[in-house]
Amino acid sequence: MDAQQQKEFITQQALHLGFTEVGFSKAQFLADDAPRLESWLTAQHHGQMSYMANHFDLRLDPTKLVPGAKTVISLLYNYYPSATLDKSPKVAKYAYGQDYHHVVKAKLKLLLSTIRHKMGAIEGRAFVDSAPVLERSWASRSGLGWVGKNGNLINKHHGSFFFLAELIIDLPLPPDAISTAHCGTCNRCIEACPTQAIIKPTVVDGSKCISYFTIELKEQIPSSYQHQLQDWIFGCDICQDVCPWNKFAMPHQEPLFHPLPSLTNFSHHDWLEITDQVFKSTFKHSPIARAGLRGIRKNLQALGHHFPS
């Protein structure tokens, strides 16, 4: 099996596991990303996400994550729902079902195991938003899309409602062509962002993003932004919902991403009445667990809701 056949085998296996698209790039230092990342951090656009400033060198060099790395395999996994939960308060679509970290990583590990079974002792690691990896840069280099003006990876055929995942392996494989950008003169995402977090095309001030306020920020949301939350209590989809490329988004086929019954049935009253024990039990396998009940209550208070005494 030559390198091209190995690449085709990996692609077929990934698609069989449910991944939407697969791309390959050479594992090398991301020289173009270094100054951009440094500038973003220096401007404090990461807010209180201190982990973003850690492991600067690892984010740029895959060989520091996997010694001897030769190839970065980038993959897309669709999470676009068949129906939007048009109810208040709002939760981002990626959090409708079970935690993607576990769902997608299990498939990645199975893919890596399949590769090793077919091709021998290959060193590699699987990553799903859980390590210092510049996922969008690798996906773009692998031909899977471009970084849009809203900072999300956009794919011509699938829009942007997908998770990014990577396998970094020590097997040399032919790289794919780098994607070109296709946002053109469209500025819908920039104009639609209530908090003006998109400060210029492709640059997002994370410390102003609704997702940051509702998930990452542990203290009270600044009063100057509370009236701009538009009823979101976990994440935000505004900049993706207005993107014209998402007209191509198709419903996912992953049962584990179907909306949790709790999200489908929860009312305002339920969110206000929920106890810590019920919250932990209900959302233990959900991305919403990241915010914790304290965080959700903080967000509800910012929206003007009052808790029963």
Side-chain angles (χ1 to χ4, degrees):
M1 182 180 288
D2 61 24
Q4 184 59 39
Q5 290 173 323
Q6 290 175 328
K7 181 177 173 180
E8 292 172 359
F9 172 81
I10 293 170
T11 299
Q12 291 170 359
Q13 293 301 310
L15 296 177
H16 178 72
L17 287 170
F19 289 97
T20 309
E21 285 199 24
V22 188
F24 300 76
S25 52
K26 182 180 179 181
Q28 59 187 0
F29 181 76
L30 295 172
D32 293 342
D33 290 271
R36 286 198 289 267
L37 178 58
E38 185 175 21
S39 175
W40 189 80
L41 292 169
T42 300
Q44 297 293 307
H45 291 329
H46 57 308
Q48 294 184 10
M49 296 181 289
S50 58
Y51 60 87
M52 294 295 295
N54 299 334
H55 308 299
F56 186 85
D57 54 340
L58 269 67
R59 294 182 188 279
L60 298 165
D61 189 350
T63 64
K64 294 185 180 298
L65 291 168
V66 177
K70 297 292 190 296
T71 302
V72 177
I73 306 173
S74 295
L75 308 98
L76 310 182
Y77 202 91
N78 182 24
Y79 69 82
Y80 189 71
S82 57
T84 302
L85 296 179
D86 292 322
K87 56 187 301 182
S88 176
K90 301 175 185 176
V91 170
K93 296 178 184 65
Y94 82 85
Y96 281 7
Q98 293 192 23
D99 193 330
Y100 65 96
H101 294 92
H102 306 302
V103 176
V104 180
K105 196 160 191 176
K107 292 177 179 292
L108 263 189
K109 288 183 175 181
L110 182 56
L111 176 60
L112 182 56
S113 176
T114 302
I115 294 171
R116 286 170 171 161
H117 180 74
K118 184 75 172 180
M119 302 174 194
I122 292 171
E123 291 300 320
R125 289 179 63 187
F127 301 94
V128 184
D129 192 25
S130 57
V133 178
L134 295 182
E135 299 177 311
R136 288 166 295 181
S137 295
W138 288 116
S140 177
R141 283 173 171 264
S142 301
L144 297 185
W146 68 96
V147 177
K149 293 181 181 180
N150 60 6
N152 290 303
L153 188 85
I154 302 175
N155 179 281
K156 269 188 173 183
H157 308 291
H158 307 289
S160 63
F161 286 106
F162 45 71
F163 299 117
L164 297 175
E166 299 80 34
L167 281 182
I168 300 179
I169 59 176
D170 65 353
L171 180 69
L173 295 168
D176 291 311
I178 297 176
S179 298
T180 54
H182 299 278
C183 286
T185 59
C186 178
N187 289 311
R188 293 186 192 179
C189 58
I190 297 175
E191 295 165 355
C193 179
T195 59
Q196 299 181 322
I198 309 172
I199 55 178
K200 63 180 180 179
T202 74
V203 180
V204 178
D205 183 344
S207 69
K208 295 180 180 179
C209 180
I210 291 176
S211 288
Y212 169 79
F213 288 139
T214 57
I215 302 173
E216 302 288 349
L217 185 65
K218 304 308 177 188
E219 61 192 40
Q220 292 300 310
I221 298 172
S223 57
S224 58
Y225 288 103
Q226 290 182 5
H227 69 286
Q228 299 169 334
L229 298 179
Q230 297 195 8
D231 223 20
W232 293 95
I233 60 164
F234 189 89
C236 178
D237 285 329
I238 293 174
C239 68
Q240 295 193 84
D241 285 336
V242 300
C243 178
W245 287 103
N246 276 319
K247 67 184 178 183
F248 297 113
M250 297 293 291
H252 67 76
Q253 301 299 316
E254 175 53 68
L256 296 177
F257 290 161
H258 291 331
L260 296 173
S262 51
L263 286 179
T264 306
N265 301 326
F266 261 38
S267 64
H268 264 108
H269 179 77
D270 292 318
W271 282 110
L272 296 172
E273 292 273 333
I274 190 171
T275 64
D276 188 58
Q277 182 178 0
V278 173
F279 180 88
K280 288 179 179 179
S281 174
T282 302
F283 297 109
K284 63 181 178 180
H285 298 303
S286 164
I288 296 174
R290 179 177 175 85
L293 181 57
R294 182 179 178 182
I296 294 297
R297 284 179 170 170
K298 172 206 73 178
N299 301 335
L300 287 165
Q301 287 175 333
L303 294 174
H305 298 293
H306 302 284
F307 295 95
S309 56

